[in-house]
């Protein structure tokens, strides 16, 4: 169940990460959990939403600026996790970087 | 498992729809399927990615323009489905409208 991130009024930024998992998932869950905790400590982090099953996942993280997104991309531990993802855990993936312009939500 | 949408080079637009489901889900699956099929026929539709479980869902639809997004929002059958979602199927939700600025994906 996705927790709905408590983001501020737009504009802010979103990173949409969509992945199809490979058959090899050893170490994935532990690393994913570590990366969520580490992302939440980064400057400019605003929240995230994620849902997944054995076959794939969609994760959206929200950020104050493109600079914050780039810094997180370049974080050493995140770079190592991304490398493992590319080499082992993901059959295919897409990363989309977006500017959130409008938001509406249930009361 | 999310099918990864075959979107064009940015810029284009994304609608991120994150929802927590209520206990009442009668009619939801059938309507959701109908809405995905109908969205795919709309002008400016570029694809979508979705994943869900009993508790919630994340759906991202991709569009050529903000005008295409507004037209789909105002489509009569979609308006009726959205009303049912608000009244019955969703405990909470957020809709975020974004401009996709960068994209990278696996080969």
């Amino acid at each position: 169940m996705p927790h709905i991130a408590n983001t501020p009024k737009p504009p802010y930024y979103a990173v949409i990460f969509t992945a199809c998992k490979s058959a090899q998932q050893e170490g994935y869950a532990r690393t994913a959990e570590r990366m969520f905790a580490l992302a939440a400590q980064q400057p400019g982090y605003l929240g995230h939403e994620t849902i997944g099953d054995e076959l794939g996942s969609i994760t959206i993280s929200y950020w104050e600026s493109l600079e914050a997104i780039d810094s997180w991309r370049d974080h050493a531990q995140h770079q190592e996790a991304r490398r493992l993802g590319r080499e082992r855990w993901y059959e295919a993936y897409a990363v989309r970087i977006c500017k959130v312009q409008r938001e509406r939500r249930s009361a």
Side-chain angles (χ1 to χ4, degrees), chain A residues 63 65-75 78 82 97:
Chain A
W63 301 89
S65 66
L66 290 173
E67 293 69 30
I69 290 170
D70 288 347
S71 294
W72 171 233
R73 180 198 60 201
D74 295 341
H75 188 292
H78 189 204
R82 289 170 55 223
I97 296 175

Side-chain angles (χ1 to χ4, degrees), chain A residues 1-93:
Chain A
M1 169 165 172
H3 160 84
I4 295 179
N6 189 22
T7 42
K9 271 195 201 309
Y12 55 89
Y13 292 85
V15 180
I16 302 172
F17 177 65
T18 308
C20 299
K21 294 179 184 172
S22 72
Q24 196 191 340
Q25 290 297 298
E26 203 196 322
Y28 169 76
R30 198 175 52 244
T31 300
E33 202 174 316
R34 214 159 45 80
M35 286 305 114
F36 285 131
L38 193 59
Q41 296 169 20
Q42 302 309 305
Y45 170 88
L46 296 175
H48 76 268
E49 295 163 349
T50 186
I51 190 164
D53 58 24
E54 334 69 75
L55 296 174
S57 62
I58 297 177
T59 297
I60 305 147
S61 59
Y62 299 103
W63 301 89
E64 278 175 11
S65 66
L66 290 173
E67 293 69 30
I69 290 170
D70 288 347
S71 294
W72 171 233
R73 180 198 60 201
D74 295 341
H75 188 292
Q77 290 182 57
H78 189 204
Q79 285 204 314
E80 171 65 7
R82 289 170 55 223
R83 188 184 63 76
L84 289 169
R86 285 192 302 270
E87 291 178 6
R88 292 188 197 168
W89 299 321
Y90 302 126
E91 189 73 31
Y93 65 86

Side-chain angles (χ1 to χ4, degrees), chain A residues 5-10 12 100-105:
Chain A
N6 189 22
T7 42
K9 271 195 201 309
Y12 55 89
V100 180
Q101 300 183 327
R102 286 192 255 157
E103 174 180 326
R104 62 175 187 274
R105 53 170 71 212

